[in-house]
Amino acid sequence: MMINIFNKYKNLMSILTHPNVPSALKHKRATATVFEDPLSQALLARIEQIAPSEANALIIGDTGTGKELVARQIHQLSHRAKGPFVAVNCGAFTESLVESELFGHEKGAFTGAIHTRVGWFEAAHNGTLFLDEIGDLSLSMQVKLLRVLQEREIVRIGSLKPIPINVRIIAATNVDLEKAVQDGRFREDLFYRLHVALLKIPTLSERRDDILPLAKHFIQVYQTDPHATPLRLSQLALKKLTLHPWPGNIRELENTIHHAVLVSKNGVIEPEDITFSSIQSAAQKAEPFSFASISAVNGTIKDLQDAGQLLEQTFQSIFQSSEQFKQTNINELIEEKFIRSAYEYCQYNQVHTAKLLGVTRNVIRTRLLKYGLL
């Protein structure tokens, strides 16, 4: 299956070049997305359907899912592709600055306004303005934004002259705007102005077929030495990546791969090179230990006595079944499955597996070699 990293479209990842856009925004905030997973392919079809129109778009997705990447793709597939793409984080400005940032100001309009400044709306003229985290805008700014969308003109602070603008708005948020409307934190009329073309981005854990293509892409991005042997992921490293829940989505995956590239040896990324955030580790430690599939049938394990009884029942069933297979070494089978399960539970970390089972790392490593896991 073909990987659709933004190379599918020319200049899709170009840096902002509009002369009115400050250099502080001229950077590459994200690097890639793929459309391998069926959910991602459905999203791509939706993007291609929406892009050619002039309709405002609303992108909803968790932090790190690639909302700006989707916005950039809509822009590049639209009739405005030759115009500027301007990305603004609405949550990055204070209440006193956001109006000046969006609409601009005249020289002398307020203390510190020593020059006339073009706002983001003017900078995006004949192009696309991406308003990220629009749910963070105050109600007063929502009123002013609504007026701009209705009148298609802005007025700089300190001026009385309206300036016509030709801008397509793509807004994005990671909050539930419908609930925000119900709670009185977001204007209903503005919501419907933006809610013309809706795109919902699945989390990375929901589109797992994208994980490995993305990981390989990030390896290429961060392996900067052109003379080095191309890095590859071991099978266990691949499995570790696919099993992780990725609460930080693509951004977390990118950072994880960046670290793995830095610490890897001999041209191979091993499970030990892949580390996840301490926040996630703490959350995993907070979860009670359970034999997932077994406990679903036999009930929750509340203490060690319950675990012992469950193991006895399980072993009895295994022993009874083993009578049909005289050549099977039950002891070897149980030990191998035990080690494999512990290793997987510890996310393929030898030190953690040894600690969990109360043995040395050398013992674990010997068993892993024996079972072909190293």
Side-chain angles (χ1 to χ4, degrees), residues 335-349:
E335 183 185 77
E336 179 179 351
K337 295 300 182 184
F338 181 64
I339 297 295
R340 282 179 178 270
S341 297
Y343 193 42
E344 182 175 316
Y345 176 79
C346 294
Q347 299 186 327
Y348 307 98
N349 185 296

Side-chain angles (χ1 to χ4, degrees), residues 169-185:
I169 299 295
I170 301 179
T173 182
N174 62 356
V175 302
D176 187 341
L177 282 189
E178 292 185 4
K179 187 176 187 304
V181 169
Q182 295 172 357
D183 295 342
R185 294 180 287 107

Side-chain angles (χ1 to χ4, degrees), residues 1-9 12 31-38 40-41 44 48 73 207-221 233 238 250 253:
M1 191 182 296
M2 189 172 92
I3 300 175
N4 295 292
I5 300 177
F6 273 145
N7 295 332
K8 180 179 178 182
Y9 304 103
L12 196 55
T31 51
T33 190
V34 301
F35 299 100
E36 284 282 313
D37 192 273
S40 297
Q41 292 171 3
L44 176 61
E48 293 173 336
Q73 186 155 14
R207 44 190 171 110
R208 292 196 166 272
D209 287 346
D210 291 345
I211 293 174
L212 298 187
L214 274 171
K216 292 175 181 178
H217 169 77
F218 290 134
I219 289 174
Q220 294 177 348
V221 169
L233 289 156
L238 289 172
I250 296 175
L253 174 60

Side-chain angles (χ1 to χ4, degrees), residues 106-145:
E106 296 290 343
K107 180 180 179 180
F110 50 83
T111 303
I114 57 177
H115 300 291
T116 296
R117 186 187 187 283
V118 171
W120 299 118
F121 271 92
E122 286 184 79
H125 186 63
N126 290 329
T128 302
L129 179 61
F130 175 57
L131 299 176
D132 197 9
E133 306 304 343
I134 196 168
D136 292 341
L137 279 181
S138 67
L139 288 172
S140 61
M141 276 307 304
Q142 291 175 32
V143 173
K144 295 174 182 178
L145 176 59

Side-chain angles (χ1 to χ4, degrees), residues 211-212 215-216 219 231-244 246 253 256-257 260 264 267-276 343 347-349 373-374:
I211 293 174
L212 298 187
K216 292 175 181 178
I219 289 174
L231 278 172
R232 66 178 180 85
L233 289 156
S234 71
Q235 289 300 313
L236 289 177
L238 289 172
K239 189 170 184 180
K240 184 173 182 178
L241 290 174
T242 56
L243 288 174
H244 185 62
W246 299 112
L253 174 60
T256 298
I257 295 300
S264 62
V268 181
I269 294 178
E270 298 289 357
E272 294 82 0
D273 302 325
I274 298 172
T275 59
F276 303 122
Y343 193 42
Q347 299 186 327
Y348 307 98
N349 185 296
L373 297 178
L374 289 180

Side-chain angles (χ1 to χ4, degrees), residues 311-323:
L311 284 172
E312 286 183 11
Q313 296 171 8
T314 303
F315 289 148
Q316 289 297 325
S317 298
I318 293 174
F319 296 150
Q320 291 173 6
S321 301
S322 69
E323 293 297 322

